[in-house]
């Protein structure tokens, strides 16, 4: 697989998981404040989903940095160049 395609797939996965975490976070806040369910899920169910999405996102971030390490180093050189 082409590295550019791999990066695009990884970035898309990261975006989807991030949006999922954001959505679940809103649900946790809603259920914590009101005590009502959020889309039929109670607080414990939302926490279980978050406990899956969080580590998944961390793993994807590590892979993302691995694939883009060279580009990141060049960006840092530009940032700290005098």
């Amino acid at each position: 697989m082409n590295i550019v395609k791999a990066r695009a797939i990884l970035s898309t996965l990261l975006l989807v998981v991030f949006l999922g975490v954001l959505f679940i976070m809103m649900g946790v806040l809603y259920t914590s404040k009101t005590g009502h369910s959020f889309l039929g899920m109670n607080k414990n169910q939302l926490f279980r989903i978050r406990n899956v999405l969080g580590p998944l996102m961390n793993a994807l971030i590590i892979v993302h940095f691995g694939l883009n390490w060279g580009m990141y180093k060049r960006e840092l050189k530009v940032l700290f160049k005098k």
Side-chain angles (χ1 to χ4, degrees), residues 3-38:
I3 190 72
V4 175
K5 288 182 182 179
R7 287 177 179 164
I9 291 169
L10 182 62
S11 295
T12 303
L13 282 173
L14 266 171
L15 178 63
V16 168
V17 172
F18 171 75
L19 292 174
V21 168
L22 209 61
F23 186 73
I24 294 300
M25 182 200 66
M26 289 186 308
V28 167
L29 290 173
Y30 176 77
T31 57
S32 296
K33 294 247 184 209
T34 65
H36 297 105
S37 65
F38 180 75

Side-chain angles (χ1 to χ4, degrees), residues 43-80:
K43 190 174 175 180
N44 290 333
Q45 291 169 320
L46 291 168
F47 275 117
R48 278 189 267 147
I49 294 169
R50 188 194 66 174
N51 289 341
V52 171
L53 289 179
L56 175 63
M57 187 169 181
N58 289 336
L60 289 172
I61 289 170
I62 290 168
V63 173
H64 188 271
F65 269 118
L67 285 176
N68 296 298
W69 187 249
M71 181 173 34
Y72 182 60
K73 286 192 323 188
R74 287 189 301 273
E75 290 170 347
L76 286 177
K77 283 181 185 178
V78 169
L79 179 65
F80 293 112

